[in-house]
Amino acid sequence: MTKTFHQPLGGNQMPRFGGPATMMRLPSLPSAKGLDAAFVGVPFDIGTSNRSGARFGPRQIRAESCLIRPYNMATRAAPFDSLSVADIGDVAINTFNLEKSVVLIEAAYDEILSHNCIPMTMGGDHTIALPILRALKKKYGPVGMVHVDAHADINDTMFGEKIAHGTPFRRAVEEGLLDGKRVAQIGLRATGYAAEDFDWPRSQGFRVVQAEECWYKSLSPLMAEIRQQLGSGPVYLSFDIDGLDPSSAPGTGTPEIGGLTTIQGIEIIRGCRGLQLVGCDLVEVAPPYDPTGNTALLAANLLYEMLCVLPGVKYRA
């Protein structure tokens, strides 16, 4: 079967403010069949604990992505000449029922993964990582993870509930979805519900890199260490936009000061080159809190950078 290398609609073919409202104005396809990677939205925010609004994230990220061009001038990655990529739309979650939505998301990712396609997820709040990891385990077994966030998301419960945007990685450990020795959390900071909030992931084997360890420095050396830690085997990349400082990404539900810079965010993603990435997400973009659209524009660019480091991407000489 001949592979189709779908190309984003160029700005010289159609003005950036026109054309299809898809990620990077790629073709919209009904399924992941025949694709190497697929952008998929999960417009879900009923797992949030502070400010809702991440349900609008996928739509706004797509809108801002029209500014991105196909070739990476810094890394020389040519993802659309290397992989078959398209936008397969959104998961139809149940707006009124979190538990049913989690089931629907897992089923949608089972279908995507059945085509040997790498899902590139636009959230949505961080709850969605749990059903995605459940689907990934069925295909790959326990996976490693690079997790960028202001929060560890390892609470046991939130308001007595086991599933919410602050609990996914506690459930993931309990369910054997993660290989704890192959997990790195970067950017954690601020205050905690308990003094041990960052100690629990460390006790599971996670490498925890608090934001203060990242201040005023390049994260390229850190990522070299993390690549060595994660080694071979499947890895999931989960990027909460609140891992970055709210001066750069104010459009999110639970902002925390003292965060990573946009440059450090890019360094983390580019530092994942060479890992066996089997899925990526960019979550917690809440457009109502950033009328400039800059948070969603940042998110769209970070998703593009993730695409550029997927296995199989070719780099121009």
Side-chain angles (χ1 to χ4, degrees), residues 52-64:
S52 60
R55 68 182 61 187
F56 303 113
R59 181 168 291 182
Q60 188 67 24
I61 291 169
R62 287 182 171 110
E64 300 298 339

Side-chain angles (χ1 to χ4, degrees), residues 73-98:
M73 295 291 101
T75 68
R76 304 185 69 81
F80 301 105
D81 295 349
S82 315
L83 304 177
S84 182
V85 187
D87 188 325
I88 61 169
D90 292 338
V91 177
I93 59 100
N94 184 320
T95 310
F96 307 107
N97 191 304
L98 185 149

Side-chain angles (χ1 to χ4, degrees), residues 2-316:
T2 303
K3 183 180 294 188
T4 301
F5 293 104
H6 303 290
Q7 298 294 321
L9 180 61
N12 291 320
Q13 299 168 273
M14 169 69 70
R16 297 287 176 192
F17 45 81
T22 58
M23 182 63 181
M24 293 185 66
R25 305 195 301 179
L26 285 161
S28 175
L29 298 182
S31 84
K33 184 178 181 180
L35 298 177
D36 297 308
F39 290 104
V40 55
V42 185
F44 170 99
D45 64 9
I46 52 179
T48 53
S49 57
N50 186 40
R51 305 190 300 194
S52 60
R55 68 182 61 187
F56 303 113
R59 181 168 291 182
Q60 188 67 24
I61 291 169
R62 287 182 171 110
E64 300 298 339
S65 75
C66 68
L67 287 170
I68 306 173
R69 298 164 184 84
Y71 295 97
N72 192 317
M73 295 291 101
T75 68
R76 304 185 69 81
F80 301 105
D81 295 349
S82 315
L83 304 177
S84 182
V85 187
D87 188 325
I88 61 169
D90 292 338
V91 177
I93 59 100
N94 184 320
T95 310
F96 307 107
N97 191 304
L98 185 149
E99 291 186 358
K100 287 184 179 178
S101 291
V102 167
V103 172
L104 290 168
I105 295 165
E106 182 179 350
Y109 280 75
D110 285 340
E111 201 277 333
I112 293 169
L113 294 169
S114 73
H115 299 293
N116 296 315
C117 177
I118 299 173
M120 309 290 293
T121 304
M122 299 170 277
D125 76 52
H126 224 153
T127 310
I128 68 174
L130 178 61
I132 294 171
L133 287 169
R134 285 174 173 171
L136 286 169
K137 185 188 178 184
K138 283 177 268 185
K139 185 172 181 66
Y140 297 104
V143 299
M145 181 173 69
V146 176
H147 171 210
V148 182
D149 207 320
H151 313 98
D153 291 352
I154 49 77
N155 295 313
D156 187 25
T157 62
M158 299 188 79
F159 294 97
E161 298 297 327
K162 288 284 192 179
I163 299 179
H165 76 156
T167 70
F169 303 122
R170 171 80 66 134
R171 301 288 87 80
V173 169
E174 292 171 347
E175 297 177 21
L177 312 182
L178 292 173
D179 178 355
K181 293 180 180 179
R182 299 181 61 242
V183 174
Q185 296 184 302
I186 308 169
L188 276 55
R189 61 189 187 274
T191 51
Y193 289 109
E196 301 79 22
D197 272 3
F198 295 169
D199 295 332
W200 189 88
R202 290 186 174 106
S203 73
Q204 309 306 308
F206 294 14
R207 176 168 184 174
V208 175
V209 183
Q210 293 182 220
E212 291 80 1
E213 299 174 56
C214 303
W215 289 353
Y216 312 116
K217 64 179 68 171
S218 167
L219 298 190
S220 294
L222 169 68
M223 291 310 298
E225 295 175 11
I226 287 175
R227 285 195 304 275
Q228 185 173 15
Q229 173 196 350
L230 271 57
S232 60
V235 175
Y236 186 67
L237 173 55
S238 190
F239 200 120
D240 187 326
I241 199 69
D242 72 27
L244 304 185
D245 192 78
S247 60
S248 300
T252 192
T254 316
E256 305 283 4
I257 66 165
L260 304 176
T261 67
T262 59
I263 293 169
Q264 289 173 323
I266 294 170
E267 286 182 318
I268 291 169
I269 296 171
R270 291 180 181 173
C272 291
R273 180 180 174 184
L275 295 175
Q276 186 193 337
L277 292 174
V278 294
C280 307
D281 70 46
L282 192 295
V283 298
E284 299 282 358
V285 172
Y289 309 109
D290 184 2
T292 68
N294 282 339
T295 305
L297 175 64
L298 172 56
N301 276 274
L302 293 176
L303 280 160
Y304 169 74
E305 291 286 346
M306 293 177 192
L307 180 67
C308 288
V309 296
L310 292 186
V313 169
K314 295 176 183 176
Y315 293 76
R316 295 176 296 114

